């Protein structure tokens, strides 16, 4: 009898649910789009109830696909969740949301961050949480809500408000309020969690007036969180109850799914933005190069830390060229456009549409296209946009190597932009090392499945997972004779330093 693991990947734009077998192969899938509200003032919100319903719809679609293929849901052993990070929900003791879910991309707390930095709190926060005071993280957006909603602030003072990241909210809803838990990775993205003691930091909470905020119990990523009665929740005809044995932030899940089990192994997610995460072992190393220190993943007996570089604009740059400049009708056309010319002809696109992330952290910087002449064509602009992705990754990799005083052992790539062969080969040539590429594109869901399976007994050990992963990985080799990426990168660094 085969065993299967239900993996829920709750993202910003959709929820994807996948059933994996013991070999990490997808047996069934379900995906449902999720509405996100973007406002002109930089606010980004979602409806908390929509997020939960989106999960139920996605799981339903996956189970339908599974049973239509002739599989038996009684062979599903456990489930796990990977989720959009930093997005958070506030609710009352009855599970009623008290505000919209504030999404990770929301910029409402720029002023709050500036005030806290002016008070000298940035280094203090970094030492405790590994993070920087930036709107990207949950805590400052929570402070903005309290500054702008006196009633909500009073409810916090009265201990009437429950705070949770998306994983916590879903678990709370699935258990009808019986379980109020999160994992270390999600907790580590809030600015409220001490990554050294693995506890909510009482000093931060007190200084920020949040001591009476109800916070979830933080647990390892691979952990028995609850038993979920899916049969009842989804109104199924048959009994279907399995343990929830993994919660983890999506980028952390992708790191685990990519097989970054050892110190010095890293992954790059090429999506709307880009997350570069390197496993740094069992000790938190604070960066002097603009990196974040975060919890990579954890089991009952092991906590691995990571350095992370967050790049704000990756695939979103290409979408902007398509939607606003209308240089092409589909992103799939960009590969041929880039290779139709010999080089970038000195044209660079600095994709600071929402500022520049790691390692620069120039959040007030604006996007620009540099080096254009009358000889510049749309192909040059497209190529410059594609090249900006490997250039930003190189910036982060160099900073990580500087912090660790060692070169990366390996680097894996995943995400939608990996389909672009120009970007992938340019990146391999620029870094000068092979890129590992999973044949399974859904590595966040896979990571959640692996962690769930470790706890539920589907997998015996991480070494077994390493063997499984190796069989599913192909390599993109670097062309060491190609000087274009290296020469182009020198121009990139000059442009970045100039402004």
């Amino acid at each position: 009898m085969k065993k299967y693991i239900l993996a829920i990947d709750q993202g910003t734009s959709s929820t994807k649910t996948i059933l994996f077998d013991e070999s990490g192969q997808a047996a069934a899938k379900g995906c449902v789009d999720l509405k996100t509200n973007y406002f002109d003032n930089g606010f980004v919100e979602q409806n908390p109830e929509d997020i939960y319903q989106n999960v139920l719809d996605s799981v339903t679609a996956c189970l339908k696909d599974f049973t239509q293929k002739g599989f038996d849901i009684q062979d599903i052993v456990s489930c796990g969740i990977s989720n959009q990070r930093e997005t958070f929900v506030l609710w009352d003791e009855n599970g009623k949301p008290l505000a919209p879910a504030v999404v990770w991309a929301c910029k409402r707390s720029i002023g709050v961050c500036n005030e806290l930095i002016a008070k000298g709190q940035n280094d203090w926060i970094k030492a405790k949480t590994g993070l920087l005071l930036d709107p990207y993280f949950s805590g400052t957006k929570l402070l903005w809500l309290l500054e702008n909603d006196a009633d909500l602030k009073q409810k916090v003072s009265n201990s009437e408000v429950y705070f949770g990241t998306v994983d916590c909210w879903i678990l709370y809803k699935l258990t009808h309020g019986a379980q109020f838990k999160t994992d270390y990775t999600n907790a580590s993205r809030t600015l409220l969690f001490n990554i050294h003691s693995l506890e909510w930091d009482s000093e931060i909470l007190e200084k920020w007036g949040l001591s009476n905020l109800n916070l979830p119990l933080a647990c390892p990523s691979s952990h028995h969180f609850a038993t979920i009665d899916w049969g009842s929740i989804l109104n199924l005809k048959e009994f279907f109850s399995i343990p929830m044995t993994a919660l983890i932030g999506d980028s952390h899940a992708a790191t685990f799914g990519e097989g970054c089990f050892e110190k010095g192994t890293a992954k790059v997610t090429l999506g709307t933005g880009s997350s570069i995460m390197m496993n740094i072992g069992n000790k938190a190393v604070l960066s002097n190069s603009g990196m974040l220190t975060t919890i990579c993943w954890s089991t009952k007996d092991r906590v691995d830390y990571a350095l992370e570089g967050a790049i704000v604009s990756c695939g979103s740059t290409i979408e902007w060229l398509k939607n606003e400049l209308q240089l092409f009708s589909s992103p799939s056309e960009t590969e041929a456009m880039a290779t139709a010319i010999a080089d970038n002809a000195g044209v660079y696109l600095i994709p600071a549409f929402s500022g520049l992330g790691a390692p620069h952290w120039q959040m007030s910087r604006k996007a620009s296209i540099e080096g254009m002449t009358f000889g510049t064509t749309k192909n040059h602009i497209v190529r410059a946009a594609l090249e900006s992705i490997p250039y930003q990754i190189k910036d982060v990799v160099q900073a990580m190597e500087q912090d660790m005083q060692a070169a990366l052992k390996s680097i894996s790539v995943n995400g939608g932009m990996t389909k672009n062969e120009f970007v992938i080969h340019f990146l391999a040539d620029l870094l000068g090392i092979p890129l590992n590429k999973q044949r399974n594109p859904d590595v966040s869901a896979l990571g959640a499945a692996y962690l769930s399976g470790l706890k539920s007994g589907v997998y015996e050990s991480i070494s077994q997972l390493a063997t499984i992963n190796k069989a599913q990985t192909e390599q993109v080799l670097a062309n060491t004779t190609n000087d274009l990426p290296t020469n182009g990168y020198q121009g990139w660094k000059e442009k970045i330093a100039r402004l």
Side-chain angles (χ1 to χ4, degrees), residues 233-452:
I233 293 169
L234 301 177
N235 296 313
L236 302 178
K237 294 179 181 179
E238 56 186 310
F239 176 79
F240 176 40
S241 182
I242 55 173
M244 176 71 72
T245 52
L247 299 178
I248 185 168
D250 51 10
S251 285
H252 309 260
T255 307
F256 196 79
E258 287 283 8
C260 298
F261 306 139
E262 299 179 23
K263 181 179 178 180
T265 56
K267 70 88 190 174
V268 180
T269 299
L270 299 167
T272 302
S274 180
S275 166
I276 306 166
M277 195 173 287
M278 181 175 74
N279 188 319
I280 59 173
N282 61 4
K283 293 183 179 178
V285 176
L286 295 180
S287 173
N288 294 315
S289 306
M291 296 297 103
L292 306 173
T293 304
T294 191
I295 295 171
C296 192
W297 50 265
S298 56
T299 64
K300 178 183 178 182
D301 305 314
R302 179 174 169 180
V303 177
D304 279 33
Y305 290 87
L307 287 175
E308 180 180 9
I311 294 171
V312 180
S313 297
C314 180
S316 58
T317 302
I318 310 307
E319 285 297 313
W320 179 79
L321 291 182
K322 178 176 76 75
N323 297 334
E324 301 304 327
L325 299 191
Q326 299 179 0
L327 298 186
F328 46 85
S329 58
S330 170
S332 62
E333 300 170 31
T334 60
E335 182 181 328
M337 294 175 73
T339 56
I341 50 178
D343 53 38
N344 65 16
V347 178
Y348 291 86
L349 192 156
I350 312 299
F353 296 94
S354 298
L356 280 180
H360 312 287
W361 292 106
Q362 299 173 3
M363 301 316 292
S364 60
R365 187 165 181 164
K366 305 298 182 184
S368 61
I369 302 175
E370 307 284 328
M372 290 193 296
T373 68
F374 281 127
T376 300
T377 68
K378 63 180 180 180
N379 288 350
H380 291 106
I381 297 173
V382 167
R383 179 164 178 145
L386 293 179
E387 287 184 358
S388 75
I389 297 169
Y391 292 153
Q392 290 178 97
I393 293 169
K394 176 74 170 180
D395 286 344
V396 170
V397 168
Q398 282 190 335
M400 287 180 170
E401 292 176 333
Q402 183 176 328
D403 284 327
M404 294 300 296
Q405 293 295 299
L408 294 182
K409 288 182 179 179
S410 69
I411 191 161
S412 303
V413 294
N414 63 75
M417 287 298 298
T418 59
K419 297 175 183 177
N420 190 300
E421 292 293 322
F422 174 82
V423 170
I424 293 305
H425 285 281
F426 197 93
L427 176 60
D429 296 350
L430 181 60
L431 296 180
I433 59 174
L435 305 181
N436 297 321
K437 190 175 178 182
Q438 267 268 3
R439 294 188 183 94
N440 186 332
D442 302 305
V443 287
S444 291
L446 182 63
Y450 279 167
L451 287 161
S452 176

Side-chain angles (χ1 to χ4, degrees), residues 104 122 151 154 167 212 216 226 251 261 324 367 370 466 479 493:
W104 59 271
N122 201 46
D151 183 53
Q154 186 60 50
D167 61 307
N212 291 336
S251 285
F261 306 139
E324 301 304 327
E370 307 284 328
N479 178 3
K493 289 198 294 186

Side-chain angles (χ1 to χ4, degrees), residues 445-464:
L446 182 63
Y450 279 167
L451 287 161
S452 176
L454 276 177
K455 186 63 180 178
S456 62
V458 174
Y459 305 114
E460 295 179 359
S461 64
I462 287 177
S463 60
Q464 181 191 4

Side-chain angles (χ1 to χ4, degrees), residues 33-102:
D33 291 340
L34 175 64
K35 182 181 179 182
T36 303
N37 297 311
Y38 294 91
F39 301 96
D40 291 341
N41 57 3
F43 288 21
V44 188
E45 298 176 348
Q46 291 176 332
N47 184 316
E49 295 290 359
D50 286 352
I51 295 173
Y52 177 61
Q53 187 59 49
N54 189 242
V55 169
L56 299 188
D57 293 343
S58 177
V59 172
T60 298
C62 182
L63 293 177
K64 181 179 179 181
D65 182 38
F66 189 65
T67 54
Q68 285 181 341
K69 290 176 177 176
F71 298 116
D72 188 344
I73 64 171
Q74 300 305 324
D75 294 337
I76 302 173
V77 175
S78 61
C79 56
I81 294 175
S82 65
N83 60 282
Q84 53 170 313
R85 304 179 302 166
E86 293 95 21
T87 301
F88 68 92
V89 181
L90 302 175
W91 64 92
D92 64 17
E93 61 181 359
N94 297 314
K96 180 182 178 181
L98 296 170
V102 183

Side-chain angles (χ1 to χ4, degrees), residues 138-207:
S138 315
T140 58
K141 287 179 280 202
L142 171 61
L143 293 180
W144 186 96
L145 286 179
L146 301 186
E147 285 182 4
N148 290 272
D149 188 332
D151 183 53
L152 185 62
K153 185 174 183 179
Q154 186 60 50
K155 282 184 167 66
V156 169
S157 297
N158 296 342
S159 297
E160 297 172 355
V161 177
Y162 291 75
F163 169 98
T165 43
V166 169
D167 61 307
C168 176
W169 167 245
I170 296 169
L171 180 69
Y172 188 91
K173 294 285 285 184
L174 288 173
T175 59
H176 307 289
Q179 299 297 335
F180 185 41
K181 298 174 183 176
T182 189
D183 91 299
Y184 296 151
T185 67
N186 279 292
S188 75
R189 311 300 295 188
T190 62
L191 291 172
L192 307 176
F193 191 74
N194 191 307
I195 61 172
H196 310 286
S197 65
L198 302 179
E199 296 175 335
W200 299 105
D201 195 286
S202 58
E203 290 184 0
I204 297 175
L205 294 173
E206 182 177 358
K207 187 179 284 285

